[in-house]
């Protein structure tokens, strides 16, 4: 997050961002990955019919593939959590600072949102190939007694079949989904601002203003947890249909004309024709369930580590 010296100046230290973001990313990934596996299974049109609900998916995966089935594919995002979180937090702070006229100007919520959108689009360059490999692994139903494809095996198979272009399959819908970082950071900062104003008794009821100034004082853990949970919910609600589209595109590698999921446009058209508008919200329930604890952990961990290293 953008930190300050107490006078509103946004400080820029990529080293702290990278380390704190990496620690936060590992913690959040460990907490939320089983929900991500369930979400992907529910979104994949080839295997979604195996599961009647979120909890049925959980129990079926554990029964057939044991607990490790819920964590299949975690190594791909785990390997990239450092560069990904480094890109997100460092680029967010950089994009925030270049919008300010002077170093001592406090950023507004609209500036925070724009910086979040920008860092999300940049992060998609890392996110897209990472999630392509992860989804390919998560979509394979492997009994506990059999060998599951590794990250290396999946990546090499994709590269051999389609080259570098195949590695970045699904980049378009991934970038659109990651614009949700605008809502992510906007809601996070806005919530902290409102909590701080209420705590100080300085809140002013101006519902029409979107330019409220973000204060960057040290916040309590309850405030960080609440803001993080709300930020996670907001970011997914804004862009979730693109996540469904991305999963469907990345769950199949074929670009043949007869593949309804060969690209983003064909996926949108065919999914709507076959399953209606509701298809774009498949897997929303486990995603929202995951969003609260994952983003509580993400922001609380990041703020704690960053503050400790900045002291």
């Amino acid at each position: 997050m953008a930190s300050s010296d107490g006078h509103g100046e946004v400080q820029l230290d990529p080293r702290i961002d990278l380390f704190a973001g990496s620690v936060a990313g590992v913690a959040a990934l460990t907490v939320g990955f089983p929900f991500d596996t369930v979400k992907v299974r529910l979104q994949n049109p080839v295997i979604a019919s195996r599961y009647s609900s979120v909890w049925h998916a959980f129990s079926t995966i554990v029964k057939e593939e044991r607990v490790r089935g819920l964590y299949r594919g975690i190594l791909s995002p785990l390997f990239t959590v450092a560069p990904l979180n480094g890109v997100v937090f460092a680029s967010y702070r950089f994009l925030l600072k270049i919008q300010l006229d002077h170093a001592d100007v406090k950023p507004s919520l609209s500036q925070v949102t724009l910086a979040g959108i920008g860092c999300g689009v940049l992060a998609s360059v890392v996110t897209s190939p990472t999630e392509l490999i992860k989804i390919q692994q998560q979509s394979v139903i492997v009994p506990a007694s059999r060998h599951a494809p590794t990250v290396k095996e999946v990546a090499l198979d994709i590269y051999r079949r389609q080259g570098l272009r195949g590695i970045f399959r699904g980049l378009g819908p991934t970038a659109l989904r990651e614009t949700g970082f605008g809502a992510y950071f906007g809601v996070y900062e806005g919530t902290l601002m409102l909590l701080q104003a209420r705590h100080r008794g300085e809140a002013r009821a101006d519902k029409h203003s979107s330019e409220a100034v973000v204060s960057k004082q040290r916040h309590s853990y309850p405030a960080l947890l609440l803001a993080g949970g709300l930020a996670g919910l907001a970011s997914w609600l804004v862009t979730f249909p693109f996540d469904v589209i991305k999963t469907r595109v990345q769950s199949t590698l074929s670009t043949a004309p007869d593949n309804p999921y060969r690209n983003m446009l064909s996926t949108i058209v065919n999914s709507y024709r076959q399953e209606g508008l509701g298809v774009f919200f498949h897997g929303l329930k486990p995603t929202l369930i995951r969003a609260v604890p994952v983003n509580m952990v993400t922001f609380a961990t990041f703020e704690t580590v960053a503050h400790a290293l900045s002291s």
Side-chain angles (χ1 to χ4, degrees):
M1 304 304 301
S3 62
S4 78
D5 60 2
H7 300 287
E9 181 179 351
V10 179
Q11 300 298 314
L12 200 63
D13 192 336
R15 294 171 301 175
I16 292 178
D17 288 340
L18 178 60
F19 183 74
S22 299
V23 174
V26 170
L29 184 66
T30 303
V31 170
F33 199 81
F35 292 98
D36 184 74
T37 297
V38 170
K39 180 205 71 171
V40 168
R41 295 282 180 98
L42 293 175
Q43 290 178 343
N44 190 328
V46 178
I47 58 177
S49 60
R50 291 174 52 88
Y51 313 110
S52 59
S53 67
V54 172
W55 303 116
H56 179 249
F58 265 112
S59 61
T60 300
I61 293 171
V62 172
K63 181 179 178 180
E64 296 179 351
E65 306 167 63
R66 299 182 184 174
V67 174
R68 68 184 181 187
L70 293 172
Y71 284 92
R72 182 171 298 119
I74 195 173
L75 288 181
S76 175
L78 194 61
F79 287 152
T80 58
V81 71
L84 176 59
N85 281 272
V87 168
V88 169
F89 286 102
S91 63
Y92 165 71
R93 288 175 59 170
F94 173 75
L95 293 172
L96 191 62
K97 186 157 189 172
I98 63 175
Q99 295 181 74
L100 305 180
D101 295 329
H102 304 286
D104 59 349
V105 174
K106 295 180 181 180
S108 68
L109 286 184
S110 63
Q111 291 171 325
V112 166
T113 301
L114 286 174
I117 292 173
C119 80
V121 173
L122 291 174
S124 65
V125 177
V126 177
T127 305
S128 183
T130 297
E131 296 205 0
L132 172 63
I133 296 170
K134 173 183 71 70
I135 287 172
Q136 288 291 311
Q137 290 184 290
Q138 289 175 316
S139 298
V140 176
I141 301 173
V142 182
S145 59
R146 291 179 54 192
H147 167 73
T150 64
V151 171
K152 182 179 179 180
E153 290 171 343
V154 172
L156 286 177
D157 179 62
I158 296 172
Y159 184 76
R160 286 168 184 156
R161 293 167 62 178
Q162 299 182 351
L164 189 60
R165 182 176 182 179
I167 295 295
F168 284 93
R169 179 173 175 79
L171 179 60
T174 301
L176 289 172
R177 185 199 67 177
E178 300 294 54
T179 61
F181 272 108
Y184 189 64
F185 286 109
V187 170
Y188 178 77
E189 301 287 9
T191 301
L192 291 180
M193 178 194 69
L194 290 174
L195 290 174
Q196 187 176 64
R198 182 179 179 183
H199 178 71
R200 292 181 175 180
E202 298 173 353
R204 292 175 175 81
D206 184 3
K207 299 181 180 180
H208 301 292
S209 174
S210 61
E211 300 294 323
V213 175
V214 179
S215 176
K216 298 306 304 175
Q217 302 298 323
R218 179 69 174 160
H219 300 282
S220 66
Y221 276 107
L224 294 175
L225 294 175
L226 176 61
L230 291 177
L233 291 175
S235 65
W236 280 112
L237 287 172
V238 169
T239 61
F240 190 78
F242 292 112
D243 185 67
V244 176
I245 297 165
K246 179 193 73 68
T247 297
R248 293 194 163 205
V249 170
Q250 293 184 327
S251 64
T252 173
L253 300 177
S254 174
T255 57
D258 61 344
N259 176 20
Y261 311 111
R262 61 187 177 275
N263 56 46
M264 182 167 65
L265 181 59
S266 69
T267 299
I268 294 172
V269 172
N270 286 284
S271 296
Y272 178 75
R273 286 177 177 173
Q274 295 175 16
E275 303 171 66
L277 190 62
V279 68
F280 299 111
F281 296 93
H282 284 183
L284 180 60
K285 184 181 293 185
T287 300
L288 295 182
I289 293 173
R290 179 190 66 166
V292 175
V294 163
N295 290 287
M296 283 181 169
V297 169
T298 298
F299 279 110
T301 303
F302 181 87
E303 295 282 5
T304 299
V305 175
H307 184 264
L309 294 176
S310 300
S311 300

